[in-house]
Amino acid sequence: MTGSGKGEAGRGGYEQRDSEKGESTPAVASSLFPQGRQASVPLPGRLFSVDYGERRVGFAVSDPTRTIASPAGHIVRRAGKRPPIAQIVRRATEVEADAIVFGLPLDDNGDETPRSQEVRAVAAEIERRTGWPVSLVDERYTTAAALRAIREMKGTTRGRKGDVDALAATILLQHALRMER
């Protein structure tokens, strides 16, 4: 995750070398701070999270102090089409994001899935195009947590699947913000 001074300054990204291909891809972040940096206060700037699904992509954004996460809408993906990279970048730009957190869809054992590879590729391409630091965070069970929260509030998801994805992105971002502290 190199290329911009912003990313090197510690706004979040890590890189992992694929030894067979020699390529650099975002790795699952244990923190949104660079390795070796002790964090007592989060870095300023908005984080933008992406819950990347097969049919929809949910978004959330933090406040500038990285304290609160709020849903920021969703987009619908078209089956068989290219990943919506430009739309994701546009949304992140609209909310004045300084860094992006992608949910990494791992299986129940924590192993990579075919979707994980797609998310890694999209995250790497966004980082390449924008220079923004991009981190990947385990997103297991975020959608289940969003559905549970809606049920606990006696809400319904009928006709609101995009809202569920945005709420899942919010839960993912809350997790990432807690990891920063």
Side-chain angles (χ1 to χ4, degrees):
M1 321 287 336
T2 59
S4 79
K6 212 176 188 184
E8 293 165 5
R11 286 276 179 116
Y14 293 102
E15 70 179 39
Q16 172 179 315
R17 294 268 175 209
D18 183 334
S19 57
E20 292 177 18
K21 297 179 185 173
E23 295 175 353
S24 175
T25 58
V28 176
S30 59
S31 170
L32 294 175
F33 287 98
Q35 294 172 344
R37 176 163 185 239
Q38 194 65 0
S40 58
V41 178
L43 292 172
R46 293 181 188 273
L47 287 181
F48 183 74
S49 72
V50 179
D51 179 50
Y52 192 86
E54 186 175 336
R55 294 190 179 119
R56 286 168 306 282
V57 181
F59 304 118
V61 65
S62 75
D63 66 315
T65 64
R66 297 187 179 186
T67 305
I68 300 167
S70 302
H74 71 281
I75 57 174
V76 176
R77 292 188 60 195
R78 295 181 3 193
K81 299 295 180 183
R82 292 187 317 224
I85 293 172
Q87 290 177 296
I88 294 169
V89 170
R90 192 170 23 259
R91 286 290 178 98
T93 301
E94 287 170 1
V95 298
E96 301 175 348
D98 294 304
I100 298 180
V101 176
F102 270 83
L104 185 65
L106 303 174
D107 68 14
D108 289 340
N109 297 321
D111 296 325
E112 295 275 329
T113 65
R115 171 112 24 233
S116 301
Q117 296 306 312
E118 182 180 3
V119 168
R120 283 185 184 280
V122 169
E125 181 61 19
I126 287 175
E127 185 173 56
R128 186 190 70 74
R129 287 186 190 183
T130 65
W132 293 332
V134 175
S135 297
L136 299 172
V137 176
D138 183 348
E139 73 165 20
R140 282 180 286 176
Y141 312 116
T142 56
T143 301
L147 290 168
R148 186 174 49 250
I150 291 168
R151 277 194 304 272
E152 288 173 0
M153 293 185 290
K154 308 289 188 232
T156 180
T157 59
R158 185 172 301 173
R160 298 179 61 203
K161 292 180 179 178
D163 293 339
V164 173
D165 292 319
L167 184 55
T170 304
I171 292 168
L172 172 73
L173 184 54
Q174 288 171 333
H175 175 65
L177 293 171
R178 278 193 308 271
M179 288 171 44
E180 266 194 346
R181 299 202 185 285

Short mmCIF file of all heavy atoms in Angstrom, two decimals, residues 99-156:
data_model
loop_
_atom_site.label_atom_id
_atom_site.label_comp_id
_atom_site.label_asym_id
_atom_site.label_seq_id
_atom_site.Cartn_x
_atom_site.Cartn_y
_atom_site.Cartn_z
N ALA A 99 -9.86 7.60 3.83
CA ALA A 99 -9.40 6.21 3.76
C ALA A 99 -10.62 5.32 3.60
O ALA A 99 -11.74 5.73 3.93
CB ALA A 99 -8.62 5.83 5.02
N ILE A 100 -10.40 4.12 3.10
CA ILE A 100 -11.50 3.18 2.86
C ILE A 100 -11.22 1.87 3.58
O ILE A 100 -10.10 1.39 3.61
CB ILE A 100 -11.68 2.92 1.35
CG1 ILE A 100 -12.03 4.22 0.63
CG2 ILE A 100 -12.75 1.88 1.10
CD1 ILE A 100 -12.23 4.08 -0.86
N VAL A 101 -12.29 1.32 4.14
CA VAL A 101 -12.24 0.01 4.78
C VAL A 101 -13.20 -0.90 4.01
O VAL A 101 -14.38 -0.59 3.89
CB VAL A 101 -12.67 0.08 6.26
CG1 VAL A 101 -12.72 -1.30 6.87
CG2 VAL A 101 -11.78 1.01 7.05
N PHE A 102 -12.68 -1.97 3.46
CA PHE A 102 -13.51 -2.97 2.79
C PHE A 102 -13.73 -4.13 3.73
O PHE A 102 -12.81 -4.57 4.42
CB PHE A 102 -12.80 -3.51 1.54
CG PHE A 102 -13.08 -2.76 0.29
CD1 PHE A 102 -12.38 -1.62 -0.01
CD2 PHE A 102 -14.06 -3.20 -0.60
CE1 PHE A 102 -12.63 -0.92 -1.17
CE2 PHE A 102 -14.32 -2.51 -1.76
CZ PHE A 102 -13.61 -1.36 -2.05
N GLY A 103 -14.94 -4.66 3.74
CA GLY A 103 -15.21 -5.89 4.45
C GLY A 103 -14.67 -7.06 3.63
O GLY A 103 -14.94 -7.16 2.44
N LEU A 104 -13.88 -7.90 4.26
CA LEU A 104 -13.31 -9.06 3.58
C LEU A 104 -14.16 -10.27 3.92
O LEU A 104 -14.21 -10.70 5.08
CB LEU A 104 -11.86 -9.29 4.00
CG LEU A 104 -11.13 -10.39 3.26
CD1 LEU A 104 -10.98 -10.04 1.77
CD2 LEU A 104 -9.76 -10.63 3.88
N PRO A 105 -14.86 -10.83 2.93
CA PRO A 105 -15.75 -11.96 3.19
C PRO A 105 -14.99 -13.28 3.31
O PRO A 105 -14.61 -13.89 2.32
CB PRO A 105 -16.68 -11.96 1.97
CG PRO A 105 -15.88 -11.32 0.89
CD PRO A 105 -14.93 -10.37 1.54
N LEU A 106 -14.75 -13.67 4.53
CA LEU A 106 -14.09 -14.95 4.82
C LEU A 106 -15.16 -15.98 5.16
O LEU A 106 -16.27 -15.63 5.55
CB LEU A 106 -13.13 -14.78 5.99
CG LEU A 106 -12.05 -13.71 5.81
CD1 LEU A 106 -11.26 -13.54 7.09
CD2 LEU A 106 -11.14 -14.05 4.65
N ASP A 107 -14.81 -17.25 5.05
CA ASP A 107 -15.78 -18.28 5.42
C ASP A 107 -15.78 -18.45 6.94
O ASP A 107 -15.05 -17.76 7.66
CB ASP A 107 -15.53 -19.60 4.68
CG ASP A 107 -14.26 -20.31 5.08
OD1 ASP A 107 -13.63 -19.97 6.11
OD2 ASP A 107 -13.87 -21.25 4.35
N ASP A 108 -16.61 -19.36 7.44
CA ASP A 108 -16.76 -19.54 8.90
C ASP A 108 -15.46 -19.90 9.59
O ASP A 108 -15.29 -19.65 10.79
CB ASP A 108 -17.81 -20.61 9.20
CG ASP A 108 -19.22 -20.12 8.89
OD1 ASP A 108 -19.43 -18.89 8.81
OD2 ASP A 108 -20.11 -20.98 8.73
N ASN A 109 -14.52 -20.51 8.85
CA ASN A 109 -13.23 -20.89 9.43
C ASN A 109 -12.17 -19.79 9.29
O ASN A 109 -11.03 -19.98 9.69
CB ASN A 109 -12.70 -22.16 8.76
CG ASN A 109 -13.61 -23.34 9.00
OD1 ASN A 109 -14.16 -23.50 10.09
ND2 ASN A 109 -13.80 -24.15 7.98
N GLY A 110 -12.56 -18.67 8.68
CA GLY A 110 -11.61 -17.58 8.48
C GLY A 110 -10.76 -17.73 7.23
O GLY A 110 -9.77 -17.03 7.05
N ASP A 111 -11.16 -18.65 6.35
CA ASP A 111 -10.42 -18.87 5.11
C ASP A 111 -10.97 -17.99 3.98
O ASP A 111 -12.12 -17.57 4.01
CB ASP A 111 -10.52 -20.34 4.69
CG ASP A 111 -9.87 -21.27 5.71
OD1 ASP A 111 -8.85 -20.87 6.30
OD2 ASP A 111 -10.39 -22.39 5.90
N GLU A 112 -10.12 -17.76 3.00
CA GLU A 112 -10.50 -16.97 1.84
C GLU A 112 -11.62 -17.67 1.06
O GLU A 112 -11.74 -18.89 1.08
CB GLU A 112 -9.29 -16.80 0.91
CG GLU A 112 -8.16 -16.00 1.51
CD GLU A 112 -8.33 -14.50 1.35
OE1 GLU A 112 -8.93 -14.05 0.35
OE2 GLU A 112 -7.85 -13.78 2.23
N THR A 113 -12.40 -16.86 0.38
CA THR A 113 -13.47 -17.35 -0.48
C THR A 113 -13.26 -16.74 -1.87
O THR A 113 -12.46 -15.81 -2.03
CB THR A 113 -14.86 -16.91 0.05
OG1 THR A 113 -14.92 -15.47 -0.03
CG2 THR A 113 -15.08 -17.36 1.49
N PRO A 114 -13.97 -17.23 -2.88
CA PRO A 114 -13.86 -16.58 -4.20
C PRO A 114 -14.21 -15.09 -4.14
O PRO A 114 -13.59 -14.26 -4.79
CB PRO A 114 -14.86 -17.36 -5.07
CG PRO A 114 -14.91 -18.72 -4.44
CD PRO A 114 -14.78 -18.46 -2.95
N ARG A 115 -15.18 -14.73 -3.34
CA ARG A 115 -15.56 -13.31 -3.19
C ARG A 115 -14.42 -12.53 -2.53
O ARG A 115 -14.21 -11.37 -2.84
CB ARG A 115 -16.83 -13.18 -2.37
CG ARG A 115 -17.14 -11.77 -2.00
CD ARG A 115 -18.32 -11.09 -2.60
NE ARG A 115 -19.33 -11.99 -3.04
CZ ARG A 115 -19.82 -11.96 -4.28
NH1 ARG A 115 -19.41 -11.08 -5.13
NH2 ARG A 115 -20.75 -12.79 -4.63
N SER A 116 -13.65 -13.17 -1.63
CA SER A 116 -12.51 -12.49 -1.00
C SER A 116 -11.53 -12.01 -2.05
O SER A 116 -11.00 -10.90 -1.96
CB SER A 116 -11.77 -13.42 -0.03
OG SER A 116 -12.59 -13.90 0.98
N GLN A 117 -11.26 -12.86 -3.03
CA GLN A 117 -10.33 -12.49 -4.08
C GLN A 117 -10.85 -11.30 -4.89
O GLN A 117 -10.09 -10.41 -5.26
CB GLN A 117 -10.06 -13.70 -4.99
CG GLN A 117 -9.37 -14.84 -4.27
CD GLN A 117 -8.09 -14.40 -3.56
OE1 GLN A 117 -7.26 -13.72 -4.14
NE2 GLN A 117 -7.95 -14.76 -2.30
N GLU A 118 -12.15 -11.29 -5.16
CA GLU A 118 -12.74 -10.17 -5.89
C GLU A 118 -12.63 -8.88 -5.07
O GLU A 118 -12.27 -7.83 -5.60
CB GLU A 118 -14.20 -10.46 -6.22
CG GLU A 118 -14.87 -9.35 -7.01
CD GLU A 118 -16.32 -9.64 -7.36
OE1 GLU A 118 -16.88 -10.68 -6.95
OE2 GLU A 118 -16.91 -8.79 -8.05
N VAL A 119 -12.92 -8.97 -3.78
CA VAL A 119 -12.83 -7.79 -2.92
C VAL A 119 -11.39 -7.29 -2.85
O VAL A 119 -11.14 -6.08 -2.94
CB VAL A 119 -13.38 -8.09 -1.50
CG1 VAL A 119 -13.01 -6.99 -0.51
CG2 VAL A 119 -14.88 -8.28 -1.56
N ARG A 120 -10.44 -8.20 -2.72
CA ARG A 120 -9.03 -7.79 -2.71
C ARG A 120 -8.65 -7.06 -4.00
O ARG A 120 -7.96 -6.05 -3.97
CB ARG A 120 -8.12 -9.01 -2.51
CG ARG A 120 -8.06 -9.52 -1.11
CD ARG A 120 -7.03 -10.64 -0.98
NE ARG A 120 -7.03 -11.22 0.33
CZ ARG A 120 -6.42 -10.69 1.38
NH1 ARG A 120 -5.75 -9.57 1.26
NH2 ARG A 120 -6.48 -11.28 2.55
N ALA A 121 -9.11 -7.58 -5.12
CA ALA A 121 -8.79 -6.96 -6.42
C ALA A 121 -9.42 -5.57 -6.53
O ALA A 121 -8.77 -4.62 -6.98
CB ALA A 121 -9.25 -7.87 -7.55
N VAL A 122 -10.67 -5.44 -6.13
CA VAL A 122 -11.35 -4.14 -6.18
C VAL A 122 -10.67 -3.15 -5.24
O VAL A 122 -10.42 -2.00 -5.61
CB VAL A 122 -12.86 -4.30 -5.85
CG1 VAL A 122 -13.52 -2.94 -5.63
CG2 VAL A 122 -13.56 -5.07 -6.95
N ALA A 123 -10.34 -3.59 -4.03
CA ALA A 123 -9.68 -2.71 -3.07
C ALA A 123 -8.32 -2.24 -3.59
O ALA A 123 -7.98 -1.05 -3.50
CB ALA A 123 -9.51 -3.44 -1.73
N ALA A 124 -7.57 -3.15 -4.17
CA ALA A 124 -6.25 -2.79 -4.72
C ALA A 124 -6.40 -1.81 -5.88
O ALA A 124 -5.61 -0.86 -6.01
CB ALA A 124 -5.51 -4.05 -5.17
N GLU A 125 -7.40 -2.00 -6.72
CA GLU A 125 -7.61 -1.10 -7.85
C GLU A 125 -8.03 0.29 -7.38
O GLU A 125 -7.58 1.30 -7.92
CB GLU A 125 -8.65 -1.68 -8.81
CG GLU A 125 -8.93 -0.83 -10.02
CD GLU A 125 -7.72 -0.60 -10.92
OE1 GLU A 125 -6.74 -1.37 -10.84
OE2 GLU A 125 -7.75 0.35 -11.73
N ILE A 126 -8.88 0.35 -6.37
CA ILE A 126 -9.28 1.66 -5.84
C ILE A 126 -8.08 2.37 -5.23
O ILE A 126 -7.88 3.57 -5.44
CB ILE A 126 -10.44 1.51 -4.83
CG1 ILE A 126 -11.72 1.19 -5.60
CG2 ILE A 126 -10.60 2.78 -3.97
CD1 ILE A 126 -12.92 0.90 -4.74
N GLU A 127 -7.27 1.64 -4.50
CA GLU A 127 -6.08 2.25 -3.93
C GLU A 127 -5.13 2.73 -5.03
O GLU A 127 -4.57 3.82 -4.95
CB GLU A 127 -5.36 1.28 -3.00
CG GLU A 127 -4.20 1.93 -2.30
CD GLU A 127 -3.59 1.04 -1.26
OE1 GLU A 127 -3.19 -0.07 -1.63
OE2 GLU A 127 -3.51 1.47 -0.10
N ARG A 128 -4.98 1.95 -6.08
CA ARG A 128 -4.11 2.33 -7.19
C ARG A 128 -4.62 3.59 -7.88
O ARG A 128 -3.85 4.50 -8.16
CB ARG A 128 -4.02 1.18 -8.20
CG ARG A 128 -3.01 1.44 -9.33
CD ARG A 128 -3.10 0.41 -10.44
NE ARG A 128 -4.31 0.51 -11.22
CZ ARG A 128 -4.56 1.48 -12.12
NH1 ARG A 128 -3.70 2.42 -12.33
NH2 ARG A 128 -5.70 1.47 -12.81
N ARG A 129 -5.92 3.65 -8.11
CA ARG A 129 -6.49 4.79 -8.83
C ARG A 129 -6.51 6.07 -8.01
O ARG A 129 -6.37 7.16 -8.55
CB ARG A 129 -7.94 4.49 -9.24
CG ARG A 129 -8.07 3.52 -10.37
CD ARG A 129 -9.52 3.42 -10.79
NE ARG A 129 -9.73 2.32 -11.71
CZ ARG A 129 -10.90 2.06 -12.28
NH1 ARG A 129 -11.94 2.84 -12.04
NH2 ARG A 129 -11.02 1.04 -13.10
N THR A 130 -6.75 5.95 -6.71
CA THR A 130 -6.97 7.14 -5.89
C THR A 130 -5.79 7.53 -5.00
O THR A 130 -5.69 8.68 -4.60
CB THR A 130 -8.19 6.94 -4.96
OG1 THR A 130 -7.89 5.90 -4.02
CG2 THR A 130 -9.44 6.61 -5.76
N GLY A 131 -4.97 6.56 -4.63
CA GLY A 131 -3.90 6.82 -3.68
C GLY A 131 -4.38 6.82 -2.24
O GLY A 131 -3.60 7.02 -1.31
N TRP A 132 -5.67 6.59 -2.02
CA TRP A 132 -6.19 6.53 -0.66
C TRP A 132 -5.74 5.23 0.00
O TRP A 132 -5.69 4.18 -0.64
CB TRP A 132 -7.72 6.53 -0.64
CG TRP A 132 -8.36 7.79 -1.09
CD1 TRP A 132 -7.86 9.05 -1.02
CD2 TRP A 132 -9.65 7.91 -1.69
NE1 TRP A 132 -8.76 9.94 -1.53
CE2 TRP A 132 -9.87 9.26 -1.95
CE3 TRP A 132 -10.63 6.98 -2.03
CZ2 TRP A 132 -11.04 9.73 -2.52
CZ3 TRP A 132 -11.80 7.45 -2.60
CH2 TRP A 132 -11.99 8.80 -2.84
N PRO A 133 -5.47 5.27 1.29
CA PRO A 133 -5.19 4.02 1.98
C PRO A 133 -6.45 3.16 2.06
O PRO A 133 -7.53 3.66 2.32
CB PRO A 133 -4.74 4.45 3.38
CG PRO A 133 -5.03 5.89 3.48
CD PRO A 133 -5.34 6.44 2.14
N VAL A 134 -6.27 1.89 1.79
CA VAL A 134 -7.38 0.94 1.81
C VAL A 134 -7.01 -0.21 2.74
O VAL A 134 -5.93 -0.78 2.62
CB VAL A 134 -7.68 0.40 0.39
CG1 VAL A 134 -8.77 -0.67 0.44
CG2 VAL A 134 -8.09 1.53 -0.54
N SER A 135 -7.90 -0.54 3.65
CA SER A 135 -7.71 -1.67 4.56
C SER A 135 -8.83 -2.67 4.36
O SER A 135 -9.93 -2.31 3.95
CB SER A 135 -7.73 -1.20 6.02
OG SER A 135 -6.67 -0.33 6.28
N LEU A 136 -8.53 -3.91 4.67
CA LEU A 136 -9.52 -4.98 4.63
C LEU A 136 -9.74 -5.48 6.05
O LEU A 136 -8.78 -5.73 6.77
CB LEU A 136 -9.04 -6.12 3.74
CG LEU A 136 -8.77 -5.76 2.28
CD1 LEU A 136 -8.11 -6.92 1.56
CD2 LEU A 136 -10.04 -5.36 1.58
N VAL A 137 -11.01 -5.61 6.42
CA VAL A 137 -11.36 -6.06 7.76
C VAL A 137 -12.34 -7.22 7.64
O VAL A 137 -13.26 -7.17 6.82
CB VAL A 137 -12.00 -4.90 8.58
CG1 VAL A 137 -12.46 -5.37 9.94
CG2 VAL A 137 -11.02 -3.74 8.72
N ASP A 138 -12.13 -8.24 8.43
CA ASP A 138 -13.00 -9.42 8.45
C ASP A 138 -14.45 -8.96 8.63
O ASP A 138 -14.77 -8.29 9.62
CB ASP A 138 -12.56 -10.33 9.59
CG ASP A 138 -13.35 -11.61 9.68
OD1 ASP A 138 -14.38 -11.77 9.02
OD2 ASP A 138 -12.91 -12.47 10.45
N GLU A 139 -15.30 -9.34 7.70
CA GLU A 139 -16.70 -8.90 7.78
C GLU A 139 -17.66 -10.03 8.17
O GLU A 139 -18.87 -9.86 8.05
CB GLU A 139 -17.14 -8.31 6.44
CG GLU A 139 -17.35 -9.33 5.35
CD GLU A 139 -18.12 -8.77 4.16
OE1 GLU A 139 -18.18 -7.55 3.99
OE2 GLU A 139 -18.66 -9.59 3.42
N ARG A 140 -17.13 -11.14 8.63
CA ARG A 140 -18.03 -12.24 8.97
C ARG A 140 -19.12 -11.78 9.93
O ARG A 140 -18.86 -11.10 10.90
CB ARG A 140 -17.25 -13.40 9.61
CG ARG A 140 -16.50 -14.22 8.59
CD ARG A 140 -15.75 -15.32 9.24
NE ARG A 140 -14.57 -14.75 9.91
CZ ARG A 140 -13.73 -15.44 10.64
NH1 ARG A 140 -13.91 -16.73 10.81
NH2 ARG A 140 -12.69 -14.86 11.20
N TYR A 141 -20.34 -12.16 9.62
CA TYR A 141 -21.52 -11.97 10.46
C TYR A 141 -22.03 -10.53 10.54
O TYR A 141 -22.92 -10.24 11.32
CB TYR A 141 -21.29 -12.53 11.88
CG TYR A 141 -20.71 -13.91 11.86
CD1 TYR A 141 -19.46 -14.16 12.39
CD2 TYR A 141 -21.39 -14.98 11.27
CE1 TYR A 141 -18.90 -15.43 12.35
CE2 TYR A 141 -20.84 -16.25 11.23
CZ TYR A 141 -19.59 -16.46 11.77
OH TYR A 141 -19.04 -17.71 11.73
N THR A 142 -21.49 -9.60 9.73
CA THR A 142 -22.01 -8.23 9.81
C THR A 142 -23.44 -8.16 9.29
O THR A 142 -24.27 -7.45 9.88
CB THR A 142 -21.12 -7.24 9.03
OG1 THR A 142 -20.99 -7.68 7.67
CG2 THR A 142 -19.75 -7.11 9.67
N THR A 143 -23.76 -8.88 8.23
CA THR A 143 -25.13 -8.86 7.72
C THR A 143 -26.07 -9.51 8.72
O THR A 143 -27.18 -9.01 8.96
CB THR A 143 -25.22 -9.55 6.35
OG1 THR A 143 -24.36 -8.84 5.44
CG2 THR A 143 -26.64 -9.54 5.80
N ALA A 144 -25.64 -10.59 9.34
CA ALA A 144 -26.47 -11.24 10.36
C ALA A 144 -26.70 -10.30 11.54
O ALA A 144 -27.82 -10.22 12.07
CB ALA A 144 -25.80 -12.53 10.85
N ALA A 145 -25.69 -9.56 11.94
CA ALA A 145 -25.83 -8.59 13.03
C ALA A 145 -26.79 -7.47 12.63
O ALA A 145 -27.61 -7.02 13.44
CB ALA A 145 -24.48 -8.02 13.42
N ALA A 146 -26.72 -7.03 11.37
CA ALA A 146 -27.63 -5.99 10.90
C ALA A 146 -29.08 -6.49 10.91
O ALA A 146 -29.99 -5.79 11.37
CB ALA A 146 -27.24 -5.54 9.49
N LEU A 147 -29.29 -7.71 10.44
CA LEU A 147 -30.64 -8.29 10.45
C LEU A 147 -31.17 -8.46 11.87
O LEU A 147 -32.34 -8.18 12.15
CB LEU A 147 -30.64 -9.63 9.71
CG LEU A 147 -30.45 -9.54 8.19
CD1 LEU A 147 -30.17 -10.93 7.61
CD2 LEU A 147 -31.65 -8.90 7.53
N ARG A 148 -30.30 -8.89 12.77
CA ARG A 148 -30.69 -9.05 14.18
C ARG A 148 -31.09 -7.71 14.78
O ARG A 148 -32.09 -7.60 15.48
CB ARG A 148 -29.56 -9.70 14.96
CG ARG A 148 -29.93 -10.03 16.39
CD ARG A 148 -28.85 -10.82 17.15
NE ARG A 148 -27.52 -10.23 17.02
CZ ARG A 148 -26.50 -10.76 16.33
NH1 ARG A 148 -26.66 -11.89 15.68
NH2 ARG A 148 -25.34 -10.16 16.27
N ALA A 149 -30.32 -6.67 14.50
CA ALA A 149 -30.63 -5.34 15.03
C ALA A 149 -31.98 -4.85 14.52
O ALA A 149 -32.77 -4.27 15.29
CB ALA A 149 -29.53 -4.35 14.64
N ILE A 150 -32.27 -5.08 13.27
CA ILE A 150 -33.56 -4.66 12.71
C ILE A 150 -34.69 -5.43 13.36
O ILE A 150 -35.72 -4.85 13.73
CB ILE A 150 -33.57 -4.84 11.18
CG1 ILE A 150 -32.61 -3.81 10.55
CG2 ILE A 150 -34.98 -4.70 10.60
CD1 ILE A 150 -32.30 -4.06 9.09
N ARG A 151 -34.51 -6.74 13.56
CA ARG A 151 -35.55 -7.54 14.22
C ARG A 151 -35.77 -7.08 15.65
O ARG A 151 -36.90 -7.00 16.12
CB ARG A 151 -35.17 -9.02 14.21
CG ARG A 151 -35.51 -9.72 12.92
CD ARG A 151 -35.44 -11.24 13.06
NE ARG A 151 -34.14 -11.70 13.53
CZ ARG A 151 -33.10 -11.99 12.76
NH1 ARG A 151 -33.20 -11.85 11.46
NH2 ARG A 151 -31.96 -12.39 13.27
N GLU A 152 -34.68 -6.76 16.37
CA GLU A 152 -34.81 -6.30 17.76
C GLU A 152 -35.57 -4.99 17.87
O GLU A 152 -36.21 -4.72 18.87
CB GLU A 152 -33.42 -6.17 18.40
CG GLU A 152 -32.77 -7.50 18.69
CD GLU A 152 -31.34 -7.37 19.17
OE1 GLU A 152 -30.81 -6.24 19.28
OE2 GLU A 152 -30.73 -8.43 19.42
N MET A 153 -35.51 -4.19 16.80
CA MET A 153 -36.24 -2.91 16.80
C MET A 153 -37.64 -3.09 16.22
O MET A 153 -38.33 -2.11 15.96
CB MET A 153 -35.47 -1.87 15.98
CG MET A 153 -34.17 -1.47 16.61
SD MET A 153 -33.34 -0.14 15.72
CE MET A 153 -32.82 -0.97 14.23
N LYS A 154 -38.03 -4.35 16.03
CA LYS A 154 -39.34 -4.69 15.47
C LYS A 154 -39.52 -4.13 14.07
O LYS A 154 -40.62 -3.80 13.65
CB LYS A 154 -40.47 -4.19 16.38
CG LYS A 154 -40.37 -4.60 17.82
CD LYS A 154 -40.64 -6.07 17.99
CE LYS A 154 -40.73 -6.40 19.48
NZ LYS A 154 -39.90 -7.48 19.88
N GLY A 155 -38.41 -4.02 13.33
CA GLY A 155 -38.46 -3.52 11.97
C GLY A 155 -38.60 -4.64 10.97
O GLY A 155 -38.58 -5.82 11.31
N THR A 156 -38.75 -4.28 9.73
CA THR A 156 -38.86 -5.25 8.66
C THR A 156 -37.82 -4.94 7.59
O THR A 156 -37.44 -3.79 7.41
CB THR A 156 -40.27 -5.26 8.02
OG1 THR A 156 -40.29 -6.23 6.98
CG2 THR A 156 -40.64 -3.91 7.47
#
